[in-house]
Amino acid sequence: MSVIYRVIGLMSGSSLDGLDIACCDFSQVDGTWRFSIPHAVCKPYSDGWVKRLREAHHMAGKDLWQLHVDFGRYSGEAVRDFIAEHKIADTMLVGSHGHTVFHFPQDGFTTQIGDGAALAVAAGIPVACDFRSTDIARGGQGAPLVPIGDKLLFGDYKFLLNLGGIANVTMQGNETVAFDICSANQVLNFYAYQKGQVFDKDGAFAAQGKFDQSLFDALNALDYHKQPYPKSLDNGYSRDVIIPLMEKTHLSVEDKLHTFCEHIAYQIAAAIKAMPHAASDKLMASGGGVFNSHLMERIKHYAPVMVVRPDDAIIHYKEALVFAFIGLLRWLGEENVLASVTGAKGNSIAGAIYLS
């Protein structure tokens, strides 16, 4: 009988909707990894947490380090409460991505806050975290990290798309490659806020808007889209590049949302077309952007492959699932970051372990 590993995965994305917490069971059957998600929840951030996380990149060193420890403790307490609420037994580990503040692999560093020691003590369970630093030290991008989970947990799909704050894609073939495509929910949510909403529900505002060719062309002409992979985006790209470009226009919020959805869909299709593909290949889409029906309609319009929507648990919690898995691989001493994705000198067994 195969061993079942019960791990809790944590993910905090740039959209700041909350802390994703997923209880995941993993086992190997004939060398193939299998998983289930018995319990999962997104714990919404209070206005105070949203403010602190949103302003983290402006903080002085001492204040940022205080936030690092506070967020670790907050995450650990959330895990403790989650376990108690769902009466979860036999949890061996927490795999935590943390919350990205800076990501500058070209300068040799990345910063994900959420102190592992504080998290482990507050949760009462060992923690694996800081999965990006080793790869960056070995010359890689330190991102995307999810492709190891795509390869070992979702091998039936040629392409896997994540529509989070940033859109990224994984392609599986003789080797696995992946990269960040463009900004996504970070920008869509920014403009939804201007309409008094946290996000553009069903893409309703975008659907009301009109297409603007000039803005579309300007977005597609940005240097990042001309760069070869491996490549990845810092969260500040939306704030420092995309939004200032869009704010130069005099378009309505609806027109900006409509045109930006068109840009996202176009760039996703361009990324897939640039990689080996066939019309019969399948693309599995996950992340909060999947619930934007207007955006998904435009992606299907442009995509050269079949777009598949998985069940809601995968859409919501795939990243938390994969970070639980990455933590488990680190605990088992197995490679969990792929050099074919990041451009590093070799695959890594990445992450720090903190005991409670």
Side-chain angles (χ1 to χ4, degrees):
M1 187 173 179
S2 60
V3 176
I4 296 177
Y5 303 97
R6 175 158 287 183
V7 184
I8 289 177
L10 300 180
M11 176 64 194
S12 177
S14 56
S15 58
L16 295 176
D17 53 348
L19 180 65
D20 288 342
I21 310 172
C23 173
C24 309
D25 289 343
F26 301 99
S27 60
Q28 272 189 303
V29 179
D30 298 327
T32 300
W33 281 103
R34 303 190 185 281
F35 71 88
S36 64
I37 307 175
H39 306 284
V41 69
C42 178
K43 179 180 173 63
Y45 290 130
S46 67
D47 291 345
W49 271 112
V50 169
K51 185 174 188 294
R52 292 183 75 187
L53 294 173
R54 183 173 287 149
E55 296 177 355
H57 64 286
H58 289 309
M59 291 182 177
K62 181 176 181 295
D63 293 335
L64 180 59
W65 205 252
Q66 183 68 63
L67 179 61
H68 172 59
V69 174
D70 290 349
F71 188 66
R73 186 178 302 109
Y74 171 86
S75 300
E77 291 170 351
V79 168
R80 181 195 63 205
D81 294 344
F82 174 75
I83 289 172
E85 179 180 352
H86 295 283
K87 299 180 173 59
I88 299 169
D90 304 320
T91 306
M92 61 173 291
L93 184 70
V94 175
S96 175
H97 171 268
H99 185 87
T100 298
V101 178
F102 302 114
H103 183 69
F104 298 116
Q106 69 275 14
D107 297 323
F109 75 95
T110 187
T111 306
Q112 284 74 45
I113 59 170
D115 178 48
L119 201 165
V121 171
I125 303 168
V127 169
C129 60
D130 188 20
F131 299 120
R132 300 184 186 274
S133 296
T134 297
D135 183 82
I136 288 178
R138 302 182 77 178
Q141 290 285 307
L145 296 180
V146 168
I148 186 66
D150 292 338
K151 177 180 179 180
L152 298 180
L153 302 178
F154 297 97
D156 291 341
Y157 295 93
K158 179 71 174 285
F159 296 98
L160 296 105
L161 173 69
N162 178 61
L163 287 170
I166 294 170
N168 51 61
V169 68
T170 299
M171 186 201 75
Q172 312 203 90
N174 294 331
E175 65 176 7
T176 301
V177 298
F179 56 93
D180 289 341
I181 298 172
C182 60
S183 299
N185 292 340
Q186 290 175 349
V187 174
L188 299 180
N189 291 351
F190 175 85
Y191 285 107
Y193 291 148
Q194 295 188 9
K195 302 294 291 186
Q197 301 298 319
V198 176
F199 61 92
D200 186 6
K201 182 175 173 59
D202 298 324
F205 294 133
Q208 294 168 19
K210 296 179 181 179
F211 176 73
D212 185 83
Q213 187 71 53
S214 296
L215 176 58
F216 181 72
D217 290 344
L219 290 165
N220 291 329
L222 290 167
D223 288 343
Y224 181 79
H225 302 308
K226 303 170 187 175
Q227 298 173 16
Y229 57 82
K231 58 182 180 177
S232 59
L233 286 168
D234 175 65
N235 285 338
Y237 182 76
S238 297
R239 179 185 64 246
D240 300 334
V241 177
I242 300 295
I243 291 172
L245 173 62
M246 296 178 70
E247 288 298 279
K248 289 179 181 178
T249 74
H250 298 289
L251 301 174
S252 68
V253 167
E254 289 85 354
D255 291 353
K256 290 174 183 176
L257 284 166
H258 184 99
T259 304
F260 196 72
C261 283
E262 207 75 8
H263 165 69
I264 295 169
Y266 177 86
Q267 286 299 330
I268 288 168
I272 295 168
K273 290 174 182 176
M275 296 185 278
H277 68 278
S280 59
D281 289 333
K282 295 184 294 183
L283 178 150
M284 187 185 86
S286 61
V290 174
F291 297 106
N292 184 324
S293 53
H294 175 78
L295 175 59
M296 290 302 296
E297 176 189 315
R298 303 314 297 157
I299 291 171
K300 291 175 182 177
H301 170 78
Y302 282 105
V305 297
M306 183 188 308
V307 178
V308 177
R309 173 177 170 146
D311 65 61
D312 284 1
I314 299 301
I315 294 173
H316 280 296
Y317 299 111
K318 178 172 175 275
E319 287 189 297
L321 164 74
V322 172
F323 283 107
F325 185 60
I326 290 172
L328 173 60
L329 293 177
R330 171 62 184 88
W331 185 265
L332 297 175
E334 298 182 16
E335 292 176 343
N336 58 1
V337 179
L338 299 173
S340 64
V341 169
T342 67
K345 296 175 182 176
N347 294 347
S348 298
I349 302 172
I353 299 287
Y354 292 89
L355 303 179
S356 58

